[in-house]
Amino acid sequence: MIDALLNAITPFNLALALFGVIAGTFIGALPGLSATMAVAVLVPFTFTMDPASGLIALGAVYTGAIYGGAYSAILVNTPGTPAAIATSMDGFPMAKRGDGDLAVTLSCLGSVVGGMVGALALLLLAPPLSQVALAFGPVEYFWLAIFGLSLIATLSRGNTVKGLVGGAIGLILSCVGSAVVGGDVRFTFGQTPLLGGIPVIPALIGLYCIPVLIDLVIKKEAHLERRAEAVSGFRFTEAVGLMLRSKFNLFRSAVLGTAVGILPAAGGSVAGLIAYSEAKRTSKKPEEFGHGATDGVIASEAANSATVGGGFIPTLVLGIPGTPPDAIILGALLVQGIRTGPQLFTQQADIVYTFVFGLIIGTLFMLPTGLIIGRYAFRLIVSVPKTVLAPSIALLTVIGSFAIESNTVHVVIMVVLGVFGWLIARVGFEASPIVLGLILGPIAEAGFVQAWLIGGAQGSIPAMFFGRPLSLAIIFMIVLTLASPALVNWRRGRMQEKGATP
Amino acid sequence: MSASPNRPVGISAPDIIAAAIALTFGAYALYEARTMSDLGAVFPVTAAIVLIAGATAILALGFMRPANRQTAPPTEWKRFAYAVITLFAWAVLLKPLGFVITSALGMLAITLAARREPMAAKAAALHALNGIILIGAFYAVMRYLLKIAVP
């Protein structure tokens, strides 16, 4: 292991890690240019490197891109990557009240801690943890997606009914196109381009970014507040103090992120939302969430960055990619002649451990680079006039929705959903429940249909859905999540009664 | 949930519109689900039921809640229409006119929509420079680095 560490800290590998984190941060910050795309672009360049160096570069880009998504989530209310959806819920309100610099610093620190927990889990616990991924069948994915949808009750700010209706609209949108199983063509209005469904990234850009753009154009007020008092530096000490106060939330979110990262197809967006929901559920001040709660930013960023290390566990040990970028890195591994599997940690330990140490170094590089880039990004966004910011954001939305599949229809879908999102926001619907329904709908439906068919073949559908220990554990979490607002209110009432009793 | 005795009850226009949107989506999903297979219809029908129940709940809660008399600041619908038409035109013309021309025209139109005061020549030049740099940089990145087929 010492040899691997020494190999990871050669000047070339250190430079690769630094470059990778910076490049990934910039790509992740641009809405539509996802972590997957950042990793995919770099793959051909790594073929000329030795396997460990190539993997370090890919891991660093991936790490940086997941973190970079936080910038646009905080500063323009548009998650740069789906993993940053939960970050925007409190990051943008913080930026609006003039604390964008603090939000960026918190997101950086949260990402570093989350990334380190994920990477250390990969280093120390990879083989046993990978078995968790194998224990998940279709029915567990179905319940996990339902768990994600149940978070709408927690995530809705003010109006739970409208949150649930928004989630159902998202589910309908997720059904557009050809059905997962059976091939039913649904809600396409006879339009061939809709057969493939509503693309997630253009939908994300439309629902989050276009309303901000329209508001920029039609409102007189400044996009973000400037703090009345001059604050110099990164607000690092203040952020560290908040992190220490929120240390349990921080580590719980990092562990949750690692665990969700291990599950194939779940990814950073689910991890961030689950950690955010848990942070809100257990907070003493849940009413602050959605209005600039620092704990929300910490939870989301620690969790989504932890999915990087977590996702590599099934990728390296089982050959099952935990997230889309992992799938690309798995392909790069195969091209380099590395065979994944439990034997990888013994037969090619030098490469694997060099890569893991490279991932840890890349995560540590995220601290200075993230703080510096974040500071200037915030200053830039605050000081740029609307007449520059609005057209620049408009250009980014068009590029982001077009670039994924070079498809101009996606730009039209993005604009349609964006205008729809702005209009329904005026009657109290928020983007997040719709996006949640859109992202989790296909996972839930595929899991449901597969579990139904398997259960039918085995002769007991109820046993399939309610008879497995992991399923029951997730169902318990769903019940807990749905009941928690009522439980919190009941506990508060009891405490007030006790306080009122002389 | 009961209304405060000091405030009048009455459903607000946003709640009526929200319920109408939910009902429309729900009714359409149920109508379309008639032609789907049993398994293919499970999720659309479930979502439709949630939408219709949600619409009913929004209306019921709206009638029970105290009326919200807060008035929202007036919307500048002219600027809204201008921005939306620009975005749609940008999306539709991207393929026939190409990335560079539509982006230049789109950025110019959005700048004009967001502008509230006359712009000095120097400021206009700086805005133009910003547009040229952004469009040029992204065109180069997409075309030569990401190998994206840009129209």
Side-chain angles (χ1 to χ4, degrees):
Chain A
M1 219 182 257
I2 297 293
D3 288 342
L5 178 62
L6 292 174
N7 195 17
I9 57 171
T10 60
F12 180 65
N13 285 344
L14 286 177
L16 275 178
L18 183 63
F19 165 77
V21 167
I22 293 171
T25 304
F26 276 108
I27 293 175
L30 299 173
L33 300 189
S34 61
T36 312
M37 187 180 273
V39 173
V41 167
L42 198 73
V43 164
F45 296 101
T46 63
F47 292 155
T48 54
M49 302 172 190
D50 70 83
S53 299
L55 279 172
I56 286 173
L58 293 174
V61 167
Y62 181 16
T63 306
I66 290 287
Y67 165 62
Y71 288 139
S72 44
I74 292 168
L75 301 176
V76 286
N77 197 27
T78 304
T81 58
I85 289 172
T87 309
S88 65
M89 292 177 184
D90 280 295
F92 186 60
M94 279 184 77
K96 276 199 83 86
R97 71 172 182 231
D99 285 329
D101 45 0
L102 180 63
V104 167
T105 302
L106 279 174
S107 71
C108 183
L109 290 172
S111 293
V112 170
V113 174
M116 287 299 289
V117 169
L120 288 173
L122 173 63
L123 182 69
L124 305 171
L125 302 168
L129 281 181
S130 63
Q131 298 306 312
V132 176
L134 288 181
F136 261 66
V139 71
E140 280 79 17
Y141 279 108
F142 165 70
W143 284 121
L144 186 70
I146 297 298
F147 176 47
L149 288 170
S150 74
L151 302 182
I152 289 171
T154 315
L155 301 177
S156 301
R157 286 177 279 200
N159 196 326
T160 309
V161 176
K162 283 184 182 168
L164 290 171
V165 168
I169 292 174
L171 273 182
I172 297 277
L173 291 176
S174 80
C175 291
V176 171
S178 188
V180 187
V181 178
D184 284 307
V185 175
R186 304 180 296 193
F187 309 124
T188 59
F189 302 98
Q191 300 296 312
T192 314
L194 289 177
L195 276 176
I198 301 281
V200 171
I201 298 289
L204 198 69
I205 295 172
L207 287 166
Y208 279 106
C209 207
I210 294 297
V212 173
L213 175 64
I214 292 173
D215 282 341
L216 271 174
V217 171
I218 67 170
K219 285 186 179 170
K220 279 183 188 168
E221 301 86 52
H223 170 56
L224 300 177
E225 289 293 322
R226 278 172 188 271
R227 282 177 74 88
E229 70 276 25
V231 180
S232 59
F234 304 104
R235 301 178 72 179
F236 187 75
T237 317
E238 189 182 349
V240 169
L242 286 166
M243 300 285 282
L244 289 174
R245 231 170 48 199
S246 183
K247 53 186 176 294
F248 182 69
N249 171 36
L250 175 67
F251 284 104
R252 179 188 53 210
S253 305
V255 171
L256 274 172
T258 307
V260 174
I262 293 169
L263 306 175
S269 54
V270 178
L273 288 164
I274 289 176
Y276 180 89
S277 162
E278 276 303 296
K280 184 177 176 183
R281 192 176 64 80
T282 54
S283 172
K284 286 177 184 163
K285 295 176 184 170
E287 68 281 358
E288 286 184 1
F289 280 71
H291 303 284
T294 52
D295 280 355
V297 175
I298 293 169
S300 168
E301 282 304 302
N304 69 28
S305 290
T307 57
V308 175
F312 278 122
I313 292 172
T315 309
L316 296 179
V317 183
L318 302 172
I320 303 169
T323 59
D326 289 333
I328 296 168
I329 293 173
L330 182 64
L333 282 168
L334 295 174
V335 171
Q336 295 271 18
I338 298 169
R339 291 177 69 92
T340 53
Q343 75 285 357
L344 183 68
F345 281 76
T346 49
Q347 290 176 3
Q348 288 174 305
D350 51 338
I351 294 171
V352 176
Y353 286 118
T354 303
F355 163 61
V356 178
F357 283 121
L359 200 63
I360 291 171
I361 291 164
T363 307
L364 291 174
F365 276 146
M366 210 155 66
L367 188 61
T369 55
L371 288 175
I372 292 166
I373 297 170
R375 183 182 182 185
Y376 289 105
F378 177 64
R379 285 188 173 183
L380 184 75
I381 297 287
V382 170
S383 57
V384 162
K386 276 185 178 184
T387 46
V388 173
L389 194 59
S392 304
I393 290 177
L395 180 69
L396 286 176
T397 63
V398 171
I399 290 170
S401 45
F402 169 78
I404 298 283
E405 291 181 29
S406 304
N407 192 339
T408 51
V409 174
H410 287 186
V411 186
V412 178
I413 291 173
M414 181 271 294
V415 174
V416 170
L417 284 176
V419 175
F420 173 69
W422 184 86
L423 288 170
I424 63 168
R426 294 176 65 81
V427 294
F429 291 117
E430 290 180 51
S432 295
I434 301 175
V435 168
L436 212 56
L438 185 64
I439 289 177
L440 296 175
I443 301 173
E445 188 169 19
F448 175 82
V449 173
Q450 286 170 9
W452 184 277
L453 293 174
I454 295 168
Q458 290 176 344
S460 178
I461 293 170
M464 170 56 69
F465 279 92
F466 301 101
R468 293 160 63 105
L470 260 175
S471 297
L472 289 174
I474 303 171
I475 292 169
F476 174 71
M477 282 155 62
I478 294 169
V479 173
L480 196 67
T481 303
L482 291 175
S484 66
L487 283 174
V488 168
N489 285 339
W490 177 77
R491 206 172 60 183
R492 267 200 202 140
R494 291 266 298 175
M495 283 170 74
Q496 278 174 357
E497 271 177 27
K498 277 184 185 174
T501 310
Chain B
M1 193 175 291
S2 61
S4 159
N6 299 325
R7 292 182 66 185
V9 293
I11 191 161
S12 63
D15 280 347
I16 294 172
I17 298 168
I21 291 169
L23 268 179
T24 309
F25 266 90
Y28 174 67
L30 273 184
Y31 178 77
E32 284 283 302
R34 292 173 308 124
T35 56
M36 295 173 195
S37 65
D38 288 346
L39 278 176
V42 170
F43 268 66
V45 169
T46 310
I49 291 168
V50 173
L51 284 166
I52 292 166
T56 314
I58 290 170
L59 289 175
L61 291 172
F63 277 115
M64 284 193 284
R65 251 199 303 256
N68 186 2
R69 301 290 176 214
Q70 284 181 334
T71 49
T75 302
E76 295 191 42
W77 287 107
K78 212 169 155 184
R79 281 181 197 270
F80 169 77
Y82 188 53
V84 170
I85 291 167
T86 301
L87 288 169
F88 272 112
W90 196 336
V92 172
L93 296 175
L94 187 61
K95 202 169 184 181
L97 288 186
F99 173 77
V100 175
I101 293 173
T102 42
S103 298
L105 292 173
M107 286 185 80
L108 176 67
I110 294 286
T111 307
L112 293 174
R115 188 181 62 128
R116 289 187 179 268
E117 292 158 6
M119 206 179 279
K122 191 183 169 188
L126 285 173
H127 280 72
L129 185 67
N130 168 63
I132 291 166
I133 290 171
L134 276 178
I135 294 170
F138 277 110
Y139 182 80
V141 167
M142 289 201 294
R143 187 86 191 242
Y144 301 110
L145 184 63
L146 302 177
K147 308 286 182 197
I148 293 170
V150 186

